[in-house]
Amino acid sequence: MIQRIMPFFRLLALILVLALPVGASAQTIPGLSLTPQPADTTSTAAPATSPEAAKALVDILKDDAARAALIGELEKLAQPEAGDAAAPSGEAAATEATDAPTVPLAREIGSVTQDLSRQVVEVVLKIGRGLGNLTRLFDGSAAVNWEGVQEQGLALAILIVFAFATLTVARFIARFPLGAVERAARNKPLPRRVVWSGLALLIDWAVIGLAWFGTSAYAIAASGGGRMDLMQSLFIDAFVLIEFLKSCLASILQYRRPALKVVNLEPATARFWYLWLSRLISFLGYGVLVAHPLVNKAIGFSVGIGFRLAVVLITLIGATILVSVKREEVRNGLFPLLEPVKSSVLRTILALLIHGWNVIVIVYLAVAFVLWVSRPFDAVDYMAWATVETVFAIIVGGLVDSLLSHAISGGIRLPADVKKTLPLLEARLNMMVPLFFRAMRMLLVAIVVAVLLQSWGVMDLIAWFQSDGGTEAVGRILSAAIILLAAGGIWLAASSWVEYRLNPSLGRITNARTRTLLSLFRNAFSIVLVIIAAMLTLSQLGVDIAPLVAGAGVVGLAVGFGSQKLVQDIITGAFIQFENAMNEGDVVTVAGITGAVDRLTIRSVGIRDLDGVYHIVPFSSVTSVSNAMRGFSFHVAVIDVAYKEDIEAVKAAMQEAFDRLMESPRGAVVLDPLEMHGLVAFGPSSISVRARIKTLPGEQWATGRLYSEIVKQVFDERGIEIPFPQTKVWFAEGAGEANAATPGATSVAHASQADIGRMGRPAKPSSPSKTLDMPRNDDDDVDDER
């Protein structure tokens, strides 16, 4: 054994001698300088060589294991430490920073994964080595100090019996005040039960304190020297800690005193969890705090390490089995707690936590075990603080989310005068505010997750925030958020301004052109604002928008070739609006469709015809616009009368009808006197007399209908005849009556009144025929239209 460790002592001595500087120079080995010398040194002193160092070096070089260890140590010395490395200054530092290669993201992820795998392997190996130390109890390499065990064990056993006896007596005495507290808390509401339960917990702590005081006094008195033994002191500390934890657990479950319970659990369920959890706490506490030091003292530290590891591992396995067995029962008991939760986000998160509570607990215990193995000295403090910070972050996040949900539950309500001025503002706010609060919830979730990652050491966010990169990233995110908020506010203000200008309840008189232009302005402004806000937001987030703009130009060029109609729609629509060709509410004829303009966009016009059919006409299909509502309008009255009637009498009757029209309320929309054109056409059985009435835009149709009714009344009063239209039927010569009765033997030609007026006279058939004038009925008009 001595021969095996002698080379390492020699190596240690050699490193100490070589590392200690002597005077202005360092101790060196011939041909090997362990301390770098300045290039411009003026010292001419020869390097001092220690005979002891040379002899130690010879011995090490002869030993293979020591020589390998020396090479490893020399390689470590050859690598400069972070504190010893001279920081480059000036241009050299800038050059190094510039020339330093950028580590790819994939390599960083691979490095993190490799480090995590290495740490997992190290923990597994450490657990294996620790448990392997227990084999020394069976191979005889570990000797047990039975005399020390008997001496320490007997005194410790007496102290254990005295401690539990004292605790039993103290609790027997405390049952009287605890009974009074239980009677006072019976049938009380939850807040009062919490107070009484806290008082009962204080009484139980007083009982534990009394047992601690009595046990400590006995241990000091039994020692004889005024100081208790180390093992006895460790037991008393473990006793107080374990009983304190069991007292807190009993205060929560309260299976012995149901009147004090604050958690709605069945007595059998509460008793089950208390018994098993208290057993696990006792096994872990006494095994690590009492039995482990005893094994260290009686057998050895290596076996003690394996024993402590086995105790913790058995506790972890037992807790995992307990959680797995009761997972469904606990899950069904926790789901009713979601009923009072109003926040949808918080309710969803709690539902997920409840559904996977067993996985969360097992992972938590496994992480605690791994941390305890890898860092045994501060694992308990680390887990305690991380758990407290996690619970605190979740509770605060849940409260804030509940406040946000309560704030937007009723929506935004504006005063009546504001709603009268801007009727759509409330709806817009109720559309935007939930989006804002949704973003706030996402930010809240991100903050809670960041706190959890910081608490568990997954990543150091505080250091990241303090770094230049973190500060820049946070600044960019805040700038992007401000841009989005500003864009939303500008859009809301512009839309409200347009709505204010178009609101008729404020006494404003807006014409059709103003309504059309303001509607188009709102649509175009919204599109431009969205594009600008998106570009600025991406720029603030670090995205280079120059390639996006160039790419958008290329894509726009390609789309322009592929969607020429769309571009033509937009350009034509812009010129139509510039020329004020039509506005909303105008009656126009566009692309063969006549109707009222219902809606105008940047690429199409919506027209609703007389039958209520809504037509969408792209501007690229518009070659001409016939607007019946520009400046003034005319109603053209063409009246057919019989040939026998006097023309002047007909004109006088039409003038009388116009005079009656001017006396009616419709006379207010007539701009000029009746414009009489006189006889304009000869028909087969009638002559046509035409007059024209000038009206305000859009009033010509109602005025014309009323004028036609008055003309009919005046003609009837004066006996002026309005003839019926005639229908021409040609019979082919030689067919006779037999041919007229036979299908296909006759040819019937119908001509409308307008067609006859255009032709002047009926067309003759190609073969000689006889004509017969027949009265024309309404069905013939339908046939003409078909």
Side-chain angles (χ1 to χ4, degrees):
M1 184 71 177
I2 297 177
Q3 293 178 355
R4 199 184 321 171
I5 64 174
M6 278 301 295
F8 295 97
F9 283 105
R10 293 174 183 172
L11 173 63
L12 179 62
L14 175 63
I15 293 175
L16 291 175
V17 172
L18 294 177
L20 291 175
V22 179
S25 63
Q27 296 289 348
T28 60
I29 302 173
L32 176 66
S33 177
L34 296 178
T35 304
Q37 299 294 331
D40 58 346
T41 180
T42 58
S43 175
T44 59
T49 304
S50 173
E52 293 81 3
K55 184 175 181 302
L57 178 60
V58 171
D59 294 337
I60 290 173
L61 295 177
K62 291 181 179 179
D63 192 303
D64 295 337
R67 184 171 62 252
L70 175 61
I71 293 173
E73 293 297 331
L74 292 177
E75 289 177 351
K76 292 180 181 179
L77 291 176
Q79 297 177 357
E81 298 180 354
D84 298 334
S89 60
E91 297 180 357
T95 304
E96 285 189 11
T98 304
D99 297 340
T102 303
V103 180
L105 179 61
R107 184 176 299 177
E108 292 184 2
I109 296 176
S111 177
V112 172
T113 306
Q114 184 177 2
D115 293 340
L116 181 61
S117 302
R118 184 174 60 252
Q119 293 175 4
V120 171
V121 172
E122 290 177 356
V123 169
V124 173
L125 294 177
K126 192 172 183 179
I127 294 174
R129 289 194 299 267
L131 295 177
N133 292 330
L134 296 177
T135 58
R136 299 184 58 191
L137 294 173
F138 306 101
D139 61 8
S141 59
V144 181
N145 185 8
W146 293 110
E147 295 180 1
V149 171
Q150 292 177 359
E151 182 181 355
Q152 294 283 339
L154 180 60
L156 185 61
I158 296 174
L159 183 65
I160 291 173
V161 172
F162 183 83
F164 282 101
T166 305
L167 180 64
T168 302
V169 173
R171 282 183 171 164
F172 179 80
I173 298 173
R175 67 176 183 169
F176 299 103
L178 288 175
V181 171
E182 182 179 5
R183 289 189 297 271
R186 185 173 288 114
N187 299 327
K188 293 296 188 299
L190 181 60
R192 293 189 179 183
R193 287 206 309 271
V194 172
V195 175
W196 290 113
S197 179
L199 180 60
L201 181 62
L202 293 177
I203 295 174
D204 204 10
W205 286 355
V207 170
I208 297 173
L210 182 61
W212 166 78
F213 178 77
T215 305
S216 300
Y218 170 78
I220 294 174
S223 63
R227 297 181 60 184
M228 67 179 67
D229 185 71
L230 176 61
M231 292 303 304
Q232 294 177 348
S233 176
L234 292 176
F235 166 74
I236 293 175
D237 294 341
F239 171 75
V240 173
L241 177 61
I242 292 170
E243 293 300 327
F244 174 81
L245 294 177
K246 291 168 64 177
S247 175
C248 295
L249 183 63
S251 177
I252 296 174
L253 299 177
Q254 291 291 1
Y255 78 94
R256 292 176 180 170
R257 302 181 182 89
L260 295 174
K261 67 179 181 180
V262 295
V263 180
N264 189 16
L265 289 177
E266 295 293 333
T269 303
R271 182 175 182 276
F272 173 85
W273 283 104
Y274 175 78
L275 291 178
W276 280 103
L277 291 178
S278 61
R279 290 168 184 171
L280 291 176
I281 291 173
S282 300
F283 178 78
L284 179 63
Y286 289 119
V288 173
L289 300 178
V290 180
H292 168 240
L294 184 61
V295 172
N296 286 341
K297 188 174 183 180
I299 303 176
F301 287 100
S302 60
V303 178
I305 292 174
F307 176 81
R308 182 182 62 179
L309 188 61
V311 170
V312 177
L313 189 59
I314 291 173
T315 305
L316 175 63
I317 295 174
T320 302
I321 295 174
L322 181 63
V323 169
S324 301
V325 170
K326 291 293 183 178
R327 63 181 183 275
E328 291 295 336
E329 182 178 346
V330 174
R331 185 180 297 143
N332 296 331
L334 292 176
F335 271 122
L337 299 178
L338 295 176
E339 296 179 358
V341 180
K342 302 299 182 183
S343 173
S344 59
V345 177
L346 183 60
R347 188 183 183 91
T348 303
I349 294 176
L350 292 178
L352 293 175
L353 294 178
I354 291 174
H355 186 75
W357 79 272
N358 56 320
V359 178
I360 296 174
V361 172
I362 293 174
V363 171
Y364 178 82
L365 296 176
V367 170
F369 176 73
V370 171
L371 287 176
W372 178 77
V373 171
S374 59
R375 43 195 302 182
F377 298 102
D378 62 342
V380 176
D381 295 339
Y382 181 83
M383 288 292 298
W385 280 110
T387 303
V388 171
E389 291 176 359
T390 300
V391 174
F392 179 77
I394 293 176
I395 292 176
V396 172
L399 292 177
V400 174
D401 183 76
S402 299
L403 293 177
L404 293 177
S405 300
H406 180 71
I408 63 175
S409 59
I412 304 297
R413 295 291 180 266
L414 296 178
D417 54 346
V418 178
K419 293 177 64 175
K420 182 179 179 181
T421 306
L422 302 172
L424 298 179
L425 179 59
E426 182 176 309
R428 292 193 182 99
L429 288 176
N430 287 323
M431 178 187 67
M432 295 182 61
V433 170
L435 295 177
F436 173 75
F437 279 106
R438 190 175 301 172
M440 292 293 295
R441 283 178 170 177
M442 295 176 62
L443 178 62
L444 178 64
V445 173
I447 292 175
V448 172
V449 172
V451 172
L452 297 183
L453 296 177
Q454 179 71 30
S455 301
W456 292 98
V458 178
M459 55 187 305
D460 192 357
L461 293 177
I462 296 178
W464 180 75
F465 283 135
Q466 294 175 351
S467 64
D468 295 338
T471 304
E472 182 181 1
V474 173
R476 288 180 177 274
I477 294 175
L478 292 178
S479 300
I482 293 173
I483 290 173
L484 292 177
L485 289 176
I490 294 173
W491 176 82
L492 187 64
S495 301
S496 300
W497 177 77
V498 172
E499 179 187 359
Y500 175 77
R501 291 294 304 272
L502 298 178
N503 192 354
S505 62
L506 301 178
R508 294 180 177 273
I509 300 176
T510 56
N511 53 26
R513 177 173 173 78
T514 303
R515 291 194 300 269
T516 302
L517 292 179
L518 287 178
S519 300
L520 290 176
F521 166 76
R522 179 172 54 194
N523 297 335
F525 181 79
S526 300
I527 295 173
V528 173
L529 182 64
V530 168
I531 294 175
I532 294 176
M535 290 295 181
L536 292 178
T537 302
L538 293 176
S539 177
Q540 288 298 323
L541 293 177
V543 178
D544 188 6
I545 62 174
L548 293 179
V549 175
V554 175
V555 173
L557 184 60
V559 172
F561 283 110
S563 58
Q564 297 181 17
K565 284 292 185 182
L566 177 61
V567 177
Q568 185 179 358
D569 289 341
I570 297 174
I571 296 176
T572 306
F575 279 101
I576 287 176
Q577 293 305 317
F578 289 153
E579 296 172 0
N580 195 20
M582 69 178 85
N583 292 310
E584 291 183 0
D586 290 354
V587 177
V588 297
T589 299
V590 173
I593 300 173
T594 301
V597 177
D598 195 67
R599 185 169 181 267
L600 277 172
T601 64
I602 60 175
R603 63 165 298 271
S604 64
V605 56
I607 297 177
R608 192 174 299 277
D609 63 14
L610 186 62
D611 296 328
V613 180
Y614 185 75
H615 306 270
I616 296 179
V617 181
F619 283 130
S620 59
S621 301
V622 178
T623 57
S624 63
V625 177
S626 301
N627 196 325
M629 302 181 65
R630 277 293 177 268
F632 57 87
S633 299
F634 282 108
H635 167 65
V636 179
V638 179
I639 308 298
D640 292 338
V641 295
Y643 275 95
K644 67 178 182 176
E645 303 296 338
D646 183 27
I647 301 299
E648 296 300 326
V650 173
K651 291 181 180 180
M654 294 176 65
Q655 181 63 45
E656 181 182 351
F658 178 78
D659 294 338
R660 293 184 185 182
L661 173 67
M662 293 299 294
E663 294 174 358
S664 68
R666 275 278 131 194
V669 301
V670 178
L671 300 179
D672 293 335
L674 180 66
E675 183 179 342
M676 180 62 66
H677 294 172
L679 181 63
V680 294
F682 291 93
S685 61
S686 64
I687 56 176
S688 300
V689 181
R690 185 174 69 191
R692 193 168 67 171
I693 303 174
K694 187 176 182 180
T695 65
L696 292 176
E699 302 294 336
Q700 65 270 34
W701 296 288
T703 303
R705 289 191 296 270
L706 180 58
Y707 181 71
S708 298
E709 294 176 2
I710 298 175
V711 167
K712 176 67 168 60
Q713 295 174 2
V714 175
F715 278 17
D716 290 342
E717 294 173 359
R718 297 193 176 192
I720 298 175
E721 179 184 356
I722 301 176
F724 289 99
Q726 301 296 318
T727 301
K728 300 296 182 180
V729 180
W730 289 273
F731 293 93
E733 289 186 351
E737 295 182 18
N739 289 339
T742 305
T746 61
S747 174
V748 182
H750 301 286
S752 66
Q753 181 178 355
D755 295 333
I756 296 174
R758 285 195 297 267
M759 291 184 295
R761 57 186 179 86
K764 294 183 179 181
S766 57
S767 60
S769 61
K770 296 181 180 180
T771 62
L772 176 64
D773 292 338
M774 299 179 63
R776 186 177 177 91
N777 54 29
D778 295 337
D779 293 336
D780 298 329
D781 295 334
V782 176
D783 294 335
D784 288 340
E785 294 179 0
R786 292 177 180 173

